[in-house]
Amino acid sequence: MYPQIQTVQTPPPSPDSLRATALAPGQRLIVVSNRLPVTVERNDARGYSLKESSGGLATGMSGVKREFEMLWYGWPGIEVPSDEESEISHVLRQKHGAVPIFLQDSIADAYYNGFSNSALWPLLHYQPNAFQFHQSEWKAYWEVNQIFAQRLAADVSDGDLVWIHDYHLMLLPRMLSEAAMKLGKRLTIGFFLHTPFPCGDMFKVLPVWDVILEGLVHCKMLGFHTLQYAQNFARTCCDDLNFKQFPDGIERLNTFVGLGVYPIGIDVPKFLECMESESMMEQVREFRRKYDVCKLIIGVDRLDYTKGIPQKIMSFERFLDLNPRFIGQISMIQVAVPSRESVQEYKELAKALYYQVEALNKKYGSNDYKPVHLLQQSVPFEQLMTMYAASDVCFVSSIRDGMNLVSYEYVATQRDRKGVLLLSEFAGAAGQLRGSVTFNPWDIDGTAVALTRAVTMGLEERRANQKRSEDYVLRNSSAVWSKSFISDLTSLGSRLSIR
């Protein structure tokens, strides 16, 4: 038997807990991720513009910036000529507290679309049939992590707190600690994985699984969204890397690595401010007039095979098969935000989804009724809040998801409507939002039954479920998440010898 990893219990916010976690005098918070919170885009031959990133990490970290002064290192998303790097670096540093790490397009593609998203991403999400491994892409991944390590080692100061994020940079903790040590700098390094971590047998499909794990265990603290992910990681390290497991971490050769469970949240003040604006109520009314049906379902997903969008459309079609009285009375708006558009598999997914929706609309639609409205585009924040607030059901069908913040966002907009969250049991959020209706997205008939329950649920049950989920969402914001992790990392760094 393994000792159980302890779940971090996030307390209700209080005046004390809302104050920023204190860092040691002179200690800085350095955040590192694959992408910066802003993306650099080229306007013309010599001009650039900056656009806020819309990914899950940028969303989750938005509350962190309210609490901490920090520097954020990452790739700006574009190759920049060397004679223009200085100007862009200056603008990013001054306006966004961001430090770009520039990469050539060729190595960036092999590192990002290659190893990160063709090898690591499918295995982390239990999708081995999508797994592809190429030595050249693994080499690019190694080189990019080394580029990050060398730049950071040169920039950081002795004693800095470094918080590394996600699967793109799993080698960085070891590379950075070793590079900094050579320069006489001691760092407290933490790592947070925003995806699931699978069981050992799944992860070991990766030929370099042991190198990846050895890269990670040079942290002081590793954070995960759920207890299951943390336990999977701990068991793999204990079974195959000779670690011993303790309730709060793992240890090998007198080196202790803390493991913790920190469910991420949303930037609660931002959502509440939007929902309380004077214009929101009228925008919701106008949206309902535009989609003139009795029941409205919203789905918001990045266009990715892990999000289960085809299964969602199949289940909605099955729902209409079983409930013909709803034809003409219910519609689903499916936002599918384009992703990795240069990758052939994602192009094929987008095309297949389009034809799947067209077939369903042809089967049950008419001149004045469309069962599914497919929007393959990004949606501005305020418009997205309107769509959430106007919808009776939010349909999240991930076949595997680290957390899924769409579910939190929907709950934050439902104080008035008391809508129903229909949530895949394979999303990390299913363990947190206990007021949701959960289902297995692989069971098409079962999902159709769950959708029927969501659509026909009475007000009293909806009200109770909404309160239960809303209480959790409001208490566990992204600011609380970040402070919990940073507080534990700071504490662990002060108790143990810093590498």
Side-chain angles (χ1 to χ4, degrees):
M1 290 291 293
Y2 294 93
Q4 292 291 302
I5 299 294
Q6 295 175 340
T7 303
V8 174
Q9 297 294 333
T10 306
S14 65
D16 288 337
S17 71
L18 291 176
R19 286 200 289 268
T21 301
L23 300 179
Q27 188 177 42
R28 299 182 303 170
L29 174 61
I30 308 294
V31 173
V32 191
S33 64
N34 167 58
R35 293 291 291 269
L36 289 173
V38 290
T39 298
V40 178
E41 296 182 339
R42 184 174 284 107
N43 288 333
D44 51 48
R46 295 284 296 180
Y48 296 91
S49 63
L50 303 179
K51 184 179 73 172
E52 285 194 12
S53 300
S54 58
L57 176 58
T59 301
M61 292 292 287
S62 60
V64 181
K65 292 185 287 186
R66 297 177 185 269
E67 304 296 330
F68 299 96
E69 292 185 10
M70 64 186 190
L71 284 177
W72 191 326
Y73 283 72
W75 176 46
I78 190 174
E79 182 174 346
V80 175
S82 56
D83 61 339
E84 299 174 10
E85 290 180 358
S86 178
E87 180 181 354
I88 290 176
S89 296
H90 177 76
V91 173
L92 286 169
R93 179 72 174 261
Q94 293 300 313
K95 292 187 176 182
H96 299 278
V99 181
I101 296 182
F102 297 106
L103 303 173
Q104 295 181 346
D105 284 344
S106 57
I107 191 173
D109 181 70
Y111 143 80
Y112 180 74
N113 288 324
F115 186 81
S116 294
N117 288 306
S118 296
L120 281 174
W121 177 265
L123 293 184
L124 292 169
H125 291 84
Y126 288 85
Q127 301 299 309
N129 289 339
F131 170 74
Q132 298 179 38
F133 177 82
H134 301 285
Q135 285 288 347
S136 60
E137 294 173 348
W138 162 239
K139 180 182 178 182
Y141 184 86
W142 177 282
E143 289 177 357
V144 169
N145 276 252
Q146 192 65 250
I147 290 169
F148 270 71
Q150 295 302 318
R151 174 62 189 273
L152 283 159
D155 286 4
V156 297
S157 301
D158 186 46
D160 279 347
L161 199 73
V162 182
W163 191 6
I164 302 169
H165 289 268
D166 228 5
Y167 62 100
H168 315 86
L169 299 172
M170 285 177 151
L171 299 177
L172 184 56
R174 180 175 187 172
M175 289 178 171
L176 175 57
S177 63
E178 292 176 349
M181 185 64 73
K182 290 179 181 178
L183 298 175
K185 301 174 182 179
R186 296 180 175 182
L187 305 174
T188 300
I189 300 175
F191 185 96
F192 193 88
L193 184 64
H194 291 263
T195 69
F197 192 88
C199 62
D201 286 346
M202 177 63 66
F203 193 69
K204 287 165 66 178
V205 170
L206 185 68
V208 292
W209 65 269
D210 53 339
V211 183
I212 294 290
L213 294 184
E214 291 288 356
L216 287 172
V217 296
H218 279 64
C219 292
K220 294 299 180 191
M221 171 67 75
L222 277 160
F224 303 86
H225 283 310
T226 75
L227 183 60
Q228 184 65 60
Y229 306 160
Q231 289 177 338
N232 285 346
F233 181 86
R235 288 168 181 167
T236 303
C237 290
C238 292
D239 288 344
D240 299 299
L241 296 181
N242 298 315
F243 277 85
K244 293 182 180 179
Q245 186 169 339
F246 296 88
D248 56 349
I250 54 176
E251 186 177 50
R252 181 182 65 182
L253 301 176
N254 295 319
T255 298
F256 183 81
V257 182
L259 301 181
V261 179
Y262 306 86
I264 196 171
I266 61 173
D267 186 356
V268 169
K270 179 181 179 181
F271 281 80
L272 295 184
E273 181 181 358
C274 181
M275 292 308 301
E276 292 168 1
S277 66
E278 294 182 2
S279 62
M280 178 55 66
M281 189 175 296
E282 178 54 36
Q283 291 174 22
V284 169
R285 283 195 293 263
E286 179 60 32
F287 193 83
R288 290 298 300 223
R289 284 193 291 267
K290 178 180 178 182
Y291 295 92
D292 186 21
V293 290
C294 294
K295 293 288 184 179
L296 197 58
I297 304 169
I298 184 70
V300 180
D301 304 277
R302 189 169 57 82
L303 188 57
D304 189 278
Y305 54 83
T306 64
K307 300 300 183 179
I309 305 176
Q311 289 87 342
K312 184 188 303 188
I313 303 302
M314 291 170 62
S315 298
F316 185 52
E317 180 176 1
R318 185 62 178 147
F319 165 82
L320 293 175
D321 293 340
L322 297 172
N323 300 278
R325 69 185 187 279
F326 280 107
I327 297 171
Q329 301 297 313
I330 188 169
S331 287
M332 179 164 67
I333 301 170
Q334 175 60 55
V335 178
V337 180
S339 175
R340 300 167 193 159
E341 296 174 84
S342 63
V343 178
Q344 184 61 32
E345 290 81 359
Y346 284 78
K347 292 179 182 178
E348 293 173 358
L349 176 62
K351 184 177 180 181
L353 179 61
Y354 172 82
Y355 284 117
Q356 184 183 15
V357 170
E358 284 292 296
L360 174 54
N361 285 339
K362 184 176 181 181
K363 179 178 179 180
Y364 283 125
S366 62
N367 290 336
D368 56 357
Y369 169 65
K370 185 182 289 188
V372 179
H373 301 264
L374 178 62
L375 305 179
Q376 292 190 346
Q377 63 188 61
S378 297
V379 178
F381 177 76
E382 187 170 337
Q383 182 181 345
L384 183 59
M385 295 305 98
T386 301
M387 296 168 73
Y388 283 146
S391 297
D392 302 289
V393 176
C394 180
F395 197 168
V396 178
S397 57
S398 307
I399 57 177
R400 193 69 64 165
D401 218 337
M403 179 54 69
N404 188 281
L405 291 180
V406 165
S407 56
Y408 284 55
E409 293 170 358
Y410 179 73
V411 167
T413 68
Q414 291 302 303
R415 184 164 294 177
D416 293 332
R417 186 171 295 277
K418 307 293 189 291
V420 179
L421 175 61
L422 187 60
L423 181 59
S424 166
E425 64 185 60
F426 298 120
Q432 320 302 330
L433 303 181
R434 298 303 178 89
S436 59
V437 175
T438 58
F439 64 96
N440 183 333
W442 295 105
D443 179 2
I444 302 303
D445 289 338
T447 304
V449 171
L451 179 55
T452 303
R453 180 188 168 199
V455 168
T456 60
M457 186 179 294
L459 177 59
E460 287 306 312
E461 186 178 2
R462 291 180 5 237
R463 182 182 287 120
N465 286 344
Q466 167 61 17
K467 185 179 188 308
R468 193 176 184 187
S469 291
E470 184 184 64
D471 285 349
Y472 180 88
V473 168
L474 298 186
R475 288 168 48 141
N476 294 275
S477 66
S478 57
V480 173
W481 163 76
S482 63
K483 285 188 289 184
S484 297
F485 184 90
I486 292 170
S487 176
D488 287 352
L489 177 60
T490 303
S491 175
L492 198 59
S494 65
R495 287 193 288 116
L496 302 175
S497 59
I498 304 176
R499 298 180 197 188

